[in-house]
């Protein structure tokens, strides 16, 4: 179910008069891009952080278990836990009194912006999307996009799965579902705006008309340090934002015709139940097939849509009541997507 | 000393189980642009706000007195109190336990953004400036600017004094001095960026590299409502910000050659003592003379600079220790500016 598990867990240690509090950090997924940035930060403050355990694996269960067992702070950089079993995850974290800190630059930005008001004063949360490498491509041009083109993200350097998700905008769709769970927001309280410069990472609109935004250079050490240091802010060596040098920040509506993945994620979010789990599973199969050059770029959302439709027809969209049920939904959806693949690949080629 | 006093003062009333807390509002300066917007908001919630007194006058002392007497919240939309006697004002407000809430859109934005972190985590506060109607004018073109041109502000509709201060950028210089007092910031922790769309009103850069900004439609009801409702946010009828419709937000460094007023204010801020009081007094005389068509547009900063130089030579820049001393400095500086006027007017014409 989970391709990448990248997570930092902290626990405040006994504070003495002589030394600042030592935080014990367990780093699951130390080899990925988030893990490397985290290690860079930890090494700069050896007196404040003690790395207890470092792993690189595919086990999502450990995350929920840690939250349950420790009543601690859990910094989450992993989308799939929340997308596939968000209600379960947040319920268990809540029961354990764990604070979930999002490492993702967009959700971390929203977390920071939310500090300027109260939950009931929030009118809307807006995630920014770079728009990916094909932002300006025509519908025709999108059909003949190559794997090499899709692997070049304009702003962030990341693994192939998330880079392709950024190109289809499915990444932003998954982030909407994440935000729904992390911040307890209704689908109509969530929005996306395309912002190619990736300087504004997220915004919160309050009911007075104030919009609070978090901006910064595209450097993951900023959101990671926010999770490590929270509720205080650490100094980081991230490049300082110079708005006059950036010159211009642009914003546009995402185009639902050229990028249907975002609308599919919105549909799954509105449907609720297991729909987001099915969406995610089908997308993982679709991206794997695209990377294997067995499915065209526009086949990715087509396969996701066909899988969602088929799962709905089969009555397989009930809310998973346990992690085991979520895993079963995931497996069934993958099989469904694999079965639908030949037809979709032929249609989209 | 003070040309406009526009202020809202609130005091929490006894809260009963049946009704929400009634706030008593004293509105000094109800006829100006800020006063009108405030009344618009108060009329929408007659059950929450009780207007105790409404005045329109030129008496700045009342403001400090109210803060002193009530230990209450004071919403301040008046620059001159802070520019001319900022240290005194903040000291008295502090002693009285009064919370100073800034109504100015820029300072209110900073106040909101500061809620995302702690004072010691702030690296820099950045005020935005529209750049005024002459942002793109050459140095030559600036010399022949007319009064009518200077009275047209690109974004806000305000009185003539502040509109002309916006055109010279002196307004932003005075706001830097205000921010220095309001937020206890050193001169090198304060910056200005020109942002013609006036959508981002202020930004706070924290030591982790995060920049928190407040954005909104240019509608004074947003910052006013923030002061009225604080620490909660009221719903307002202000137009919602639609970033995709705005399309582009641009930023540039202010040009110190074409707009020397900002550098003069920075110099006065760095000098401290009575220098900001002298700067403000000389600027008031200069703007009055420009409005009277007796001084050219580029004569405004020239007169301010000459007055600052003369006051420094005469040893008249010691920190005022009382409101009376600040008033005396102000009077002397006005006389000095009036004496220097013929020479500067001749040079700048």
């Amino acid at each position: 179910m989970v391709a990448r598990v990248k997570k930092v867990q902290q626990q405040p240690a006994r504070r003495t008069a002589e030394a600042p509090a030592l935080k014990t950090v367990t780093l699951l997924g130390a080899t990925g891009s988030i893990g490397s940035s985290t290690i860079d930060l930890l090494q700069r403050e050896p007196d404040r952080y003690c790395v207890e355990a470092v792993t690189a694996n595919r086990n999502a269960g450990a995350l929920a278990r840690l939250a349950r067992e420790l009543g601690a702070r859990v910094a989450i950089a992993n989308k799939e836990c929340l997308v596939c079993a968000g209600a379960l995850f947040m319920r268990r974290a809540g029961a354990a009194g764990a604070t979930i800190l999002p490492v993702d630059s967009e959700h971390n930005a929203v977390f920071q912006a939310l500090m300027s008001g109260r939950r009931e004063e929030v009118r809307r949360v807006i995630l920014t999307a770079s728009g990916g490498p094909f932002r300006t491509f025509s519908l025709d041009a999108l059909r003949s996009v190559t794997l090499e083109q899709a692997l070049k993200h304009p702003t962030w350097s990341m693994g192939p799965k998330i880079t392709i998700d950024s190109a289809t905008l499915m990444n932003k769709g998954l982030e909407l579902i994440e935000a729904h769970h992390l911040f307890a927001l209704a689908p109509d309280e969530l929005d996306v705006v395309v912002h190619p410069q990736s300087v504004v990472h997220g915004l919160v609109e309050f009911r007075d008309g104030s919009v609070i935004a978090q901006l910064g250079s595209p450097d993951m050490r900023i959101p990671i340090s926010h999770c490590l240091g929270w509720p205080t802010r650490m100094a980081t060596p991230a490049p300082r934002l110079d708005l006059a040098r950036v010159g211009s920040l642009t914003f546009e509506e995402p185009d639902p015709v050229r990028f249907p993945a975002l609308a599919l994620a919105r549909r799954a979010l509105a449907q609720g139940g297991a729909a987001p789990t099915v969406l995610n599973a089908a997308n993982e199969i679709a991206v794997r097939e695209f990377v294997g050059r067995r499915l065209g770029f526009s086949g990715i959302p087509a396969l996701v849509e066909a899988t969602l439709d088929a799962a709905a027809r089969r009555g397989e969209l009930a809310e998973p009541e346990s992690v085991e049920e979520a895993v079963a939904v995931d497996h069934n959806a993958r099989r469904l997507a694999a079965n639908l693949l030949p037809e979709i690949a032929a249609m989209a080629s």
Side-chain angles (χ1 to χ4, degrees), chain A:
Chain A
M1 177 173 87
V2 174
R4 292 155 298 106
V5 179
K6 291 166 188 153
K7 190 189 66 66
V8 178
Q9 179 273 322
Q10 315 152 234
Q11 196 183 7
R14 215 187 350 251
R15 188 189 286 266
T16 67
E18 293 76 32
L22 187 72
K23 287 186 181 177
T24 306
V25 177
T26 303
L27 190 58
L28 305 188
T31 53
S33 60
I34 307 278
S36 314
S37 294
T38 307
I39 289 171
D40 176 84
L41 288 167
L42 295 174
Q43 283 174 334
R44 289 169 194 271
E45 302 209 36
D47 299 339
R48 283 191 62 194
Y49 297 95
C50 161
V51 179
E52 194 172 66
V54 174
T55 71
N57 63 36
R58 289 168 175 270
N59 179 6
L63 193 57
R65 199 160 53 239
L66 273 170
R68 207 166 53 239
E69 286 169 6
L70 300 169
R73 268 166 281 172
V74 176
I76 184 167
N78 165 284
K79 246 176 212 72
E80 291 78 0
C81 292
L82 286 170
V83 171
C84 302
L88 277 171
F89 184 85
M90 294 306 290
R91 215 181 301 144
R92 292 202 187 173
T99 303
I100 306 296
L101 300 171
V103 175
D104 239 9
S105 60
E106 293 84 351
H107 299 97
N108 187 266
V110 169
F111 188 94
Q112 292 191 38
L114 284 170
M115 292 169 76
S116 290
R118 297 168 193 214
R119 173 64 190 86
E120 67 270 23
E121 294 160 4
V122 173
R123 199 188 264 162
R124 193 165 54 128
V125 161
I126 306 156
L127 304 181
T128 55
S130 73
F134 311 130
R135 185 175 57 88
T136 59
F137 278 39
S138 70
L139 200 55
D140 253 6
L142 280 171
R143 286 203 187 94
S144 51
V145 148
T146 65
L147 176 62
E148 288 67 28
Q149 287 175 299
L151 287 175
K152 285 200 188 102
H153 191 275
T155 323
W156 300 98
S157 165
M158 303 174 296
K161 165 66 166 55
I162 191 170
T163 303
I164 290 163
D165 283 348
S166 296
T168 60
L169 259 59
M170 180 60 89
N171 184 52
K172 210 50 54 178
L174 298 174
E175 286 180 6
L176 279 182
I177 298 169
E178 256 185 298
H180 158 75
H181 291 294
L182 279 171
F183 307 119
L185 294 161
D188 67 353
E189 292 176 316
L190 282 162
D191 243 326
V192 170
V193 68
V194 173
H195 166 51
Q197 297 79 25
S198 298
V199 165
V200 180
H201 302 301
L203 310 99
V204 176
E205 180 189 327
F206 291 97
R207 65 183 178 193
D208 57 3
S210 281
V211 176
I212 304 291
Q214 191 262 1
L215 296 76
S217 304
D219 186 319
M220 281 307 293
R221 288 175 298 187
I222 297 175
I224 293 169
S225 77
H226 186 258
C227 294
L228 285 173
W230 193 84
T232 62
R233 291 178 184 271
M234 301 164 65
T236 73
R240 293 177 68 168
L241 180 63
D242 182 340
L243 280 176
R245 181 178 288 201
V246 173
S248 175
L249 304 177
T250 63
F251 301 89
E252 57 198 56
E253 296 285 356
D255 181 346
V257 177
R258 292 183 301 130
F259 300 98
L262 187 58
L264 287 172
R266 274 204 173 278
R267 174 184 142 190
L269 177 61
Q271 278 185 294
T277 318
V278 171
L279 173 95
N280 179 67
N283 182 57
E284 291 216 0
I285 297 297
V287 172
R288 188 191 69 192
E289 296 301 308
F290 175 69
V291 171
R293 302 180 200 271
R294 293 178 294 273
L295 184 67
F297 186 74
S298 56
I300 299 174
L303 183 60
V304 172
E305 184 171 16
T307 310
L308 273 172
D309 287 344
R313 275 195 308 272
R314 293 156 61 116
E316 289 179 356
L317 294 182
E319 176 79 44
E321 293 297 327
S322 65
V323 172
E324 292 68 29
E325 279 185 38
V327 170
V329 168
D330 176 77
H331 284 187
N332 289 341
R334 281 166 198 269
R335 211 167 35 220
L336 211 49
N339 290 342
L340 289 162
L341 181 70
E343 188 190 343
I344 300 296
M347 272 171 56
S349 68

